[in-house]
Amino acid sequence: MITSKDVARLAGVSQPTVSRALNDHPKVSAATKQKVREAARALGYAPSAVGRALSTGRTTRVGLVVTDLDNQFYSYVIAPMHDELGRLGHELVLVTEADETGPIAERLISLGLAGVVLATTTVDSILPARLQDRGMPFVYFNRVAGVEADAVVVDPSAGVEALARAVADAGHKRAAAIFGPHNTSTGEERERAMRAALEEVGISLSQRDVVHGPFDFESGRRGAHELLGRDGAPSLLICANDLVALGALNAAAELDIDVPGRVSIIGFDDLPPSRWALVQLSTVAYDLEAMSREAARLIVSRVQGDRGAPARRVAFGTTWVPRATVGPSPR
Amino acid sequence: MITSKDVARLAGVSQPTVSRALNDHPKVSAATKQKVREAARALGYAPSAVGRALSTGRTTRVGLVVTDLDNQFYSYVIAPMHDELGRLGHELVLVTEADETGPIAERLISLGLAGVVLATTTVDSILPARLQDRGMPFVYFNRVAGVEADAVVVDPSAGVEALARAVADAGHKRAAAIFGPHNTSTGEERERAMRAALEEVGISLSQRDVVHGPFDFESGRRGAHELLGRDGAPSLLICANDLVALGALNAAAELDIDVPGRVSIIGFDDLPPSRWALVQLSTVAYDLEAMSREAARLIVSRVQGDRGAPARRVAFGTTWVPRATVGPSPR
DNA sequence: CTGAAAGCGCTTACAG
DNA sequence: CTGAAAGCGCTTACAG
């Protein structure tokens, strides 16, 4: 490995001068900087992030902590977050959190992460408290938990209220729903917003027409088979997110149930596949890409700046995007 | 930060003994190990990967290098690769390679990566040679380039030949194709295999019915608009991969062209959305998850083991998976 | 079986 | 403006 010592030798200066020159320290003469840069280039020198990290006590790595990396939702988060982190001189490390909330905090510290983005926190997770105790900066992404911290979240209300008015106008009277898990803030908040909005417009949501499940395709598929398979099913199926709705849409295809002829289906997130001509899912949209970038900016600013600053919360608004999966109520 | 020194103090031993005890060194007495472990637990000590890396000259971070992180293909690669790396005690760092092949090798070294997986290498890239010069272990994923190195690849022949026979049996005489980029081994190899297989079964592929583009949705959408929009278009459209085929399928929907009534569409990869009831894309399948895991195993074994060992190439076979997007030729 | 010493590659006061 | 020194948190020969 080529180190700053090698560069120093070639440039005829001391090793600390190499460090200062390459970091563009103001008190290094232009001539020396020039000499050092040339030597570095000649040797193909690449400063070691490991050496720097040990010396400064800080790295430029940010962890994205998720439980289920194969949930497709995150694939739409990773690219913009990675991109924004790169722009800010940081790297993205993926970390999956096993079910046991055991040594994960220690692991994050061990890895030498500068900070982490928590994307799948459950409300009962002890991880946020652990991180706070250990002084590891973090930001909540999409979901929040008990401990006060920076957060990027979605405010469902505007989109959900518009949605409710639209389906009421389309004549729907009874809805079914596949909601998210009870132990996630997102699941709970959307469910609450949706129930309130439906009630407001006089659409009923009977307990027997509601199921809960994870935010994934299979949950939607299974839930739809259960809810739509029986006679007298509601004319409207509301889903916890787009992946759930895509699962439900496919279940409808499997059951040969016409959408939106017999049932209207609604998602939440507006992921790219929802916009496909083949899909045209009606959904509640927000700017997921901007949200991912914002999380990157928040964690970097927290890592670099004042750790004691008050927690910031950035909320993204939602809009209702009607497409082909919602139609007039058949009854 | 809690360090081994703190643990040493509490346990009443020297700092190196802490290191040895926690690494389960055989010559440390059971009693000492016990004492040290308790002290470590009491303090919530997490050994610093940064300190270890500097000391051993090695990290446990593996980089996944891609140009286009928002290509959905990679989202199906990342989860299993990350999982397998985790199983082997390594982490996954995402690295995007900007167009300029400039300082990327230096960057990878700088980051302190133990090794990298190259997933979007073009045949004209200088990166592999650079990495080899610098002694950075790497494995090719899905694509290869000039420099000899470990590789996991797909052998298209079996799947493509079966496909050709199937479409010939279905009466197709003329095909159109949206192939991948010329500067990727994968694009070239699939195109070659496909042309040979079509010729074998007597299906023509006229130059005016062939376009090339990136391995993404938009390429398929655009290509299909171009190829299917005109009169007398072939009855069969072969795509470079599933994302391209999904784009083509959506273009067909946009153009109100019946699939497979008027045109049959074929992909390559068998990504999960291809199996959706709503999609049912006929495609050439291989085990992408196993392939991703294999890449993880190869790079870890290269990093840990003999760097001089001969390059290994693991090829994954393909099968033809007929679904709903292929039908009899209408003509 | 355990400790003292050295070293990994940087950065950063401290002198001069 | 630049060098010598110290130190970040580990691991690993070297003694004993």
Side-chain angles (χ1 to χ4, degrees), chain A residues 217-295:
Chain A
F217 186 92
E218 259 314 296
S219 166
R221 201 166 157 274
R222 197 177 325 116
H225 270 283
E226 183 178 335
L227 295 170
L228 303 182
R230 52 201 191 206
D231 285 345
S235 60
L236 175 65
L237 175 59
I238 287 169
C239 299
N241 72 2
D242 276 11
L243 291 177
V244 171
L246 290 170
L249 221 44
N250 277 284
E254 289 158 11
L255 293 165
D256 207 22
I257 291 175
D258 185 49
V259 177
R262 211 171 105 208
V263 64
S264 290
I265 295 183
I266 291 172
F268 196 111
D269 282 340
D270 197 23
L271 300 185
S274 305
R275 302 170 203 150
W276 289 358
L278 233 49
V279 175
Q280 297 188 63
L281 177 67
S282 300
T283 191
V284 174
Y286 58 93
D287 195 339
L288 179 59
E289 186 181 321
M291 188 168 142
S292 306
R293 292 183 181 278
E294 183 63 29

Side-chain angles (χ1 to χ4, degrees), chain A residues 10-123:
Chain A
L10 181 61
V13 298
S14 73
Q15 178 273 324
T17 294
V18 170
S19 169
R20 282 187 283 243
L22 295 179
N23 287 322
D24 210 19
H25 189 101
K27 312 203 163 178
V28 174
S29 78
T32 302
K33 280 182 187 167
Q34 176 70 5
K35 225 173 19 180
V36 170
R37 286 204 193 104
E38 270 166 24
R41 179 139 6 91
L43 294 173
Y45 169 66
S48 153
V50 172
R52 174 175 300 143
L54 191 55
S55 175
T56 61
R58 237 184 43 205
T59 68
T60 53
R61 288 190 291 276
V62 169
L64 175 64
V65 181
V66 301
T67 44
D68 47 345
L69 196 48
D70 46 38
N71 187 307
Q72 285 301 301
F73 178 74
Y74 299 107
S75 71
Y76 299 101
V77 170
I78 287 174
M81 189 177 286
H82 176 270
D83 185 70
E84 189 70 20
L85 284 172
R87 201 186 299 283
L88 299 168
H90 288 247
E91 298 87 50
L92 180 62
V93 179
L94 300 177
V95 186
T96 45
E97 176 183 24
D99 304 82
E100 16 99 42
T101 32
I104 170 87
E106 280 65 30
R107 186 142 172 268
L108 296 174
I109 307 224
S110 249
L111 287 175
L113 298 177
V116 296
V117 175
L118 301 182
T120 46
T121 318
T122 51
V123 294

Side-chain angles (χ1 to χ4, degrees), chain B residues 155-165 167-168 175 177 179 187-207 210 238:
Chain B
D155 177 358
S157 48
V160 163
E161 285 159 18
L163 173 177
R165 286 191 299 271
V167 292
F179 288 128
E188 287 288 277
E189 188 183 15
R190 282 186 203 164
E191 177 168 351
R192 212 162 34 230
M194 191 62 76
R195 285 182 183 274
L198 291 178
E199 182 159 358
E200 180 72 28
V201 297
I203 293 179
S204 71
L205 182 60
S206 141
Q207 209 41 49
V210 172
I238 287 169

